[in-house]
Amino acid sequence: MSLPNKKRLWTYADYANLHEEKRYEGIDGALFMTPSPTPRHQRIVTALSALFFDFLQHSSCEVFVSPIDVCLFATKDTPLHDIKDWYIPDLIVVCDKQKIGDERIYGAPDLIVEILSPSTAKHDRITKFHNYERAGVKEYWIVDPIHETVEIYALQDGQFRQVHMHYKDETICPYIFPSCFIALPKVFTPM
């Protein structure tokens, strides 16, 4: 199997027709491969998803974990060949059922969590940060598994503002769900 030609502009329709087992994100028509996560990364995602699932069970919101494609700047009516940006966040929470399609998410999730890795940290902190902000994601978490921290950014006046920096021994509340309590010792379990 050949790798996609990264010099051409890709659409989501092109990506959907790839016959490869690799995962790619699209940013303004350019493809970026997303590597498989490590066991440590997966433990953190699993713990967070379980805690969010428990909290959201009786609400209109749903939690989803990677791999799920998020077409940030699209609606269900957007033709796939017009979509130039899609992401595969580690964890998302969506409260608007209209954004949940049969095969992907359309528009900005309410909350996105990205778990840093050496190969994705710059991408998560710069490119994704600015595009999530521009799309109107209400809350963005950057989880650092090495330093065992969680940075919480909330959308305020169209810009992400860091509202909290939490460490491994704290209990935190999502900005958009102030009655949800997440004990970080359960998230950063020893390996």
Side-chain angles (χ1 to χ4, degrees), residues 2-11 14 18 20 24 29-32:
S2 63
L3 288 174
N5 178 347
K6 292 187 180 179
K7 292 182 181 179
R8 70 174 267 208
L9 291 180
W10 287 80
T11 68
D14 297 326
L18 279 177
E20 295 189 18
Y24 293 92
L31 286 186
F32 295 88

Side-chain angles (χ1 to χ4, degrees), residues 115-172:
I115 315 298
L116 297 180
S117 69
S119 64
T120 66
K122 183 177 178 182
H123 187 56
D124 293 339
R125 289 190 176 281
I126 298 172
T127 308
K128 287 185 175 183
F129 181 96
H130 292 298
N131 284 331
Y132 292 166
E133 178 182 68
R134 187 167 60 97
V137 173
K138 294 177 186 173
E139 185 168 346
Y140 180 39
W141 290 17
I142 297 176
V143 179
D144 183 336
I146 294 171
H147 298 101
E148 298 183 319
T149 60
V150 178
E151 300 166 40
I152 298 179
Y153 296 89
L155 194 66
Q156 299 173 347
D157 299 320
Q159 293 188 319
F160 278 144
R161 306 274 186 229
Q162 186 177 39
V163 291
H164 295 290
M165 168 67 115
H166 293 285
Y167 298 90
K168 67 180 180 180
D169 58 345
E170 298 177 353
T171 295
I172 65 176

Side-chain angles (χ1 to χ4, degrees), residues 36-47 115 145 187 189-191:
S36 294
T38 65
R40 173 90 168 132
H41 179 283
Q42 289 298 80
R43 284 185 193 107
I44 292 169
V45 170
T46 300
I115 315 298
V187 173
T189 56
M191 292 192 277

Side-chain angles (χ1 to χ4, degrees), residues 4 34 46 66 68 72 74 93 100 106 111 145 155 175 178 191:
T34 59
T46 300
S66 181
I68 189 161
L72 275 183
V93 174
I100 303 170
Y106 295 93
L111 184 143
L155 194 66
Y175 187 77
M191 292 192 277

Side-chain angles (χ1 to χ4, degrees), residues 20-132:
E20 295 189 18
E21 296 298 318
K22 296 182 174 123
R23 299 180 307 157
Y24 293 92
E25 294 181 320
I27 302 168
D28 198 27
L31 286 186
F32 295 88
M33 189 172 71
T34 59
S36 294
T38 65
R40 173 90 168 132
H41 179 283
Q42 289 298 80
R43 284 185 193 107
I44 292 169
V45 170
T46 300
L48 283 171
S49 66
L51 294 166
F52 274 112
F53 179 82
D54 285 345
F55 176 76
L56 298 171
Q57 264 186 323
H58 304 290
S59 77
S60 62
C61 302
E62 285 187 69
V63 62
F64 296 92
V65 296
S66 181
I68 189 161
D69 294 343
V70 176
C71 299
L72 275 183
F73 305 106
T75 68
K76 288 181 181 177
D77 298 327
T78 306
L80 295 183
H81 63 269
D82 287 344
I83 299 172
K84 306 279 192 274
D85 295 271
W86 64 92
Y87 295 87
I88 307 171
D90 292 316
L91 182 146
I92 63 171
V93 174
V94 179
C95 297
D96 180 352
K97 299 290 185 198
Q98 297 301 314
K99 293 181 177 183
I100 303 170
D102 291 336
E103 297 180 17
R104 64 197 59 85
I105 304 298
Y106 295 93
D110 294 85
L111 184 143
I112 294 181
V113 177
E114 294 286 8
I115 315 298
L116 297 180
S117 69
S119 64
T120 66
K122 183 177 178 182
H123 187 56
D124 293 339
R125 289 190 176 281
I126 298 172
T127 308
K128 287 185 175 183
F129 181 96
H130 292 298
N131 284 331
Y132 292 166

